[in-house]
Amino acid sequence: MTALKKYQRLESTGLWRAGPGGQRQEVIVRLGEATLMLTDPRSEQVLSHWSLPAVTRQNPGVRPALFVPGEDADETLEIDDDDMIAALKTVQAAVRQATPRPGRLRAALIGGTTLAIVLIVTLVLPGVLKRHTASALPAAKRAEIGQLALDDVIRLTGKPCDGSLGLPALARLSERVFGPEDTPILYILPEGLRHPAHLPGGVILLPRDLIDQDTPEALAGAALAEGVASRAADPLAPILDHVGLKATFGLLTSGQLPDDALQSYGEDVLRDNASAAVPDAVLIEAAKTAQVPLSAYARWRDPSGTTTAGLLEGDPYRGLMPTPILPDDDWIALQSVCSD
């Protein structure tokens, strides 16, 4: 968000609690462009990874400030640093500005002439309306829609795995695969999801059986493939297809979706297989950059190798060992993320 430019790379200390029964722990709080990263000051290991648009303050006007990564989250973070509190307040102000207000969001999204054009285009070219809507929405609104979609998915799969030892390891795997900037948030879903999926707001969903493998390579390859898929096509497009033209136009003009617009979208996510559409050559090139082997992922996706022969043959690290995906201790911890 442009409101955060002067705060880029800001750091402070804080007190983090993983859950209601956990001990408070001192952490280093690092503010990125889209995420808030909490690390251990001694080991520099990532302990948690929060999406900035979802961060909310629970005690306005009270010190130290108390933040949570979402309304239903168990984690808490206490901060007493003026600059960091001001930065997070800026985020909340940006989110509030993205909240629909009669006349204001309309002016922010489109001008009068654009609205007139869209009214005409809706009758002859629905795709233009959907693309225009997707490109006009601010990051905070996209993240909000992604959260609504996730809520409908977990209606079918159950709450994402949130074991206190596994979540920090999952955040470190995401940073290892995608780098420290704009790192997606990975969720392991306990059941129902047979293939990776992605949602707006930098969210990647992964099936539980990926953490039942012997090594983290299949999990890393699946996350990478879905990250490539999310960059190849706008994650908001299938949501707009699902809600229809009337709801899409309402989103463009008022910033709102009907309360039931995403009802049953979870079924679409569980049924579709977006990652299978990523060309092998594109994924192989991404694997080279990320130093992620693809053979374990290819075998997980198709044990027979019939549909993944290109990935098996083109794996840039076939028979070689690149930079380790995760230390053994982290992989063991990550495998327990669904057990707590």
Side-chain angles (χ1 to χ4, degrees), residues 1 34 51-56 69-71 91-101 105 109 137-153 185 187 199-203 235-236 239-240 243 250-251 254-259 261-262 265:
M1 287 178 273
S51 172
L52 276 178
V55 175
T56 56
E71 291 185 2
V91 175
Q92 293 171 315
V95 172
R96 284 195 296 271
Q97 289 170 8
T99 301
R101 295 184 178 91
L105 185 58
L109 297 178
L137 290 181
K141 176 58 68 173
R142 294 172 68 92
E144 177 186 325
I145 293 173
Q147 184 60 51
L148 292 174
L150 177 60
D151 290 343
D152 199 72
V153 172
I185 300 177
Y187 290 102
L199 300 171
V203 170
L236 197 60
I239 290 180
L240 298 182
V243 303
L251 176 64
S254 71
Q256 292 182 341
L257 283 173
D259 292 340
L262 287 173
Y265 184 69

Side-chain angles (χ1 to χ4, degrees), residues 280 284 298 301-302 304-315 318:
D280 288 352
I284 289 169
R301 204 174 87 183
D302 181 4
S304 71
T306 303
T307 62
T308 57
L311 293 180
L312 291 167
E313 289 295 324
D315 184 354
R318 185 174 54 164

Side-chain angles (χ1 to χ4, degrees), residues 35 42 45 89 91 111 134 138 147-148 152 160 169 198 201 219 278 307 337:
T35 60
R42 293 176 295 276
Q45 288 190 335
K89 184 176 180 180
V91 175
Q147 184 60 51
L148 292 174
D152 199 72
H198 61 271
L219 179 64
V278 177
T307 62
V337 72

Side-chain angles (χ1 to χ4, degrees), residues 60-71:
V62 178
R63 288 296 192 95
L66 181 65
F67 295 94
V68 294
E71 291 185 2

Side-chain angles (χ1 to χ4, degrees), residues 60-150:
V62 178
R63 288 296 192 95
L66 181 65
F67 295 94
V68 294
E71 291 185 2
D72 298 325
D74 293 329
E75 296 178 73
T76 60
L77 176 65
E78 296 180 22
I79 298 177
D80 207 16
D81 182 87
D82 291 338
D83 290 339
M84 183 62 72
I85 293 173
L88 293 174
K89 184 176 180 180
T90 301
V91 175
Q92 293 171 315
V95 172
R96 284 195 296 271
Q97 289 170 8
T99 301
R101 295 184 178 91
R104 292 189 60 186
L105 185 58
R106 179 181 304 184
L109 297 178
I110 57 172
T113 56
T114 305
L115 178 59
I117 293 172
V118 171
L119 285 170
I120 298 172
V121 169
T122 303
L123 302 176
V124 294
L125 198 57
V128 173
L129 172 64
K130 293 175 183 177
R131 289 193 295 272
H132 182 78
T133 301
S135 65
L137 290 181
K141 176 58 68 173
R142 294 172 68 92
E144 177 186 325
I145 293 173
Q147 184 60 51
L148 292 174
L150 177 60

Side-chain angles (χ1 to χ4, degrees), residues 217-284:
E217 278 77 11
L219 179 64
L224 178 65
E226 205 57 32
V228 172
S230 70
R231 293 192 294 269
D234 193 330
L236 197 60
I239 290 180
L240 298 182
D241 288 340
H242 177 85
V243 303
L245 291 178
K246 182 178 179 180
T248 297
F249 186 73
L251 176 64
L252 177 64
T253 55
S254 71
Q256 292 182 341
L257 283 173
D259 292 340
D260 61 349
L262 287 173
Q263 183 176 348
S264 78
Y265 184 69
E267 282 86 345
D268 292 353
V269 173
L270 300 187
R271 180 172 56 250
D272 294 340
N273 192 357
S275 60
V278 177
D280 288 352
V282 175
L283 182 52
I284 289 169

